[in-house]
Amino acid sequence: RIYDSTGKLVRSLERTGAGGLRAIFSPDGKVIAVGNRNYETQLFEIESGKLLHTLEKKQTHDIVFSPDGKRLAIAYVDGNIGLWNVENGELLQMAASGGEETYSVDFNRKGDLLASSGRRGNVVLWDAAKLTKLKELNAQDWVIQVRFSSDGARLLSAGAKEGGPRKQGEVMVWEVK
């Protein structure tokens, strides 16, 4: 559902399946992507609420638009990373992250690098155009999130050791060259 700033319902989305667990606006604010761990990711036009595309892969953990809004990167429960064309809903590339599960993805501000993280795998820097691995960073066993700094010079990873208390988690800051 889409509400205005007073909390009044403006429109409902034509969603199929259960509600979304992860939602994000495109950079221009015209499209919203809604993902769910148990269902496909769907793309909606904000103005009308119309369903634009249902992306034919289930088990979304994280979603992020490229800075130009033309691609959508998705981290999947099965350890894969997917790049999708926002305009037509087609899969551009799919690659295994190397981890048991992939929890997070993020583009740098240029959109030429993609970072991923997850469970029992490294933090990975990808060539965002080809979805090929450029660098693997040894991080915690369980990295729930990666995010680039606004200038793209640094990458944060937040996680903990597998089986350890979550209160002993840590944030790592990586230089990106």
Side-chain angles (χ1 to χ4, degrees), residues 80-100:
N80 285 306
I81 306 286
L83 279 179
W84 298 83
N85 180 308
V86 172
E87 185 177 341
N88 62 21
E90 291 181 2
L91 178 66
L92 298 170
Q93 285 108 4
M94 185 75 65
S97 69
E100 286 182 12

Side-chain angles (χ1 to χ4, degrees), residues 98-103 117-122 141-143 162:
E100 286 182 12
E101 295 183 52
T102 308
Y103 291 144
S117 68
R119 181 172 179 231
R120 294 190 185 145
N122 293 321
D141 301 323
W142 177 75
V143 180
E162 188 83 51

Side-chain angles (χ1 to χ4, degrees), residues 65-87:
F65 282 95
S66 61
D68 64 7
K70 294 181 180 180
R71 294 171 293 158
L72 185 71
I74 303 179
Y76 290 104
V77 174
D78 67 5
N80 285 306
I81 306 286
L83 279 179
W84 298 83
N85 180 308
V86 172
E87 185 177 341

Side-chain angles (χ1 to χ4, degrees), residues 120-145:
R120 294 190 185 145
N122 293 321
V123 170
V124 180
L125 292 176
W126 303 83
D127 176 319
K130 301 174 188 169
L131 201 58
T132 55
K133 290 182 182 181
L134 298 174
K135 181 83 173 172
E136 294 193 45
L137 308 170
N138 292 320
Q140 308 96 321
D141 301 323
W142 177 75
V143 180
I144 198 73
Q145 191 168 50

Side-chain angles (χ1 to χ4, degrees), residues 3-175:
Y3 297 87
D4 68 15
S5 61
T6 68
K8 179 183 172 190
L9 178 65
V10 176
R11 74 184 50 78
S12 293
L13 302 175
E14 300 173 14
R15 178 135 176 97
T16 59
L21 298 177
R22 195 74 161 142
I24 189 167
F25 285 104
S26 62
D28 64 7
K30 294 181 179 180
V31 175
I32 186 172
V34 180
N36 187 307
R37 184 178 166 96
N38 299 311
Y39 297 95
E40 297 91 355
T41 296
Q42 295 183 315
L43 300 168
F44 298 90
E45 180 182 71
I46 292 296
E47 187 64 32
S48 66
K50 176 185 169 192
L51 174 63
L52 299 173
H53 308 292
T54 298
L55 307 181
E56 298 299 322
K57 181 160 175 51
K58 294 181 180 183
Q59 298 189 320
T60 301
H61 257 293
D62 193 20
I63 48 182
V64 64
F65 282 95
S66 61
D68 64 7
K70 294 181 180 180
R71 294 171 293 158
L72 185 71
I74 303 179
Y76 290 104
V77 174
D78 67 5
N80 285 306
I81 306 286
L83 279 179
W84 298 83
N85 180 308
V86 172
E87 185 177 341
N88 62 21
E90 291 181 2
L91 178 66
L92 298 170
Q93 285 108 4
M94 185 75 65
S97 69
E100 286 182 12
E101 295 183 52
T102 308
Y103 291 144
S104 184
V105 286
D106 195 32
F107 281 101
N108 68 346
R109 75 175 181 174
K110 287 185 191 178
D112 61 340
L113 288 177
L114 182 71
S116 68
S117 68
R119 181 172 179 231
R120 294 190 185 145
N122 293 321
V123 170
V124 180
L125 292 176
W126 303 83
D127 176 319
K130 301 174 188 169
L131 201 58
T132 55
K133 290 182 182 181
L134 298 174
K135 181 83 173 172
E136 294 193 45
L137 308 170
N138 292 320
Q140 308 96 321
D141 301 323
W142 177 75
V143 180
I144 198 73
Q145 191 168 50
V146 287
R147 291 293 178 255
F148 282 100
S149 60
S150 60
D151 64 1
R154 292 182 186 87
L155 179 70
L156 297 175
S157 66
K161 286 190 172 195
E162 188 83 51
R166 289 187 180 166
K167 66 181 180 181
Q168 292 181 357
E170 62 184 358
V171 173
M172 298 177 81
V173 180
W174 307 88
E175 281 188 66

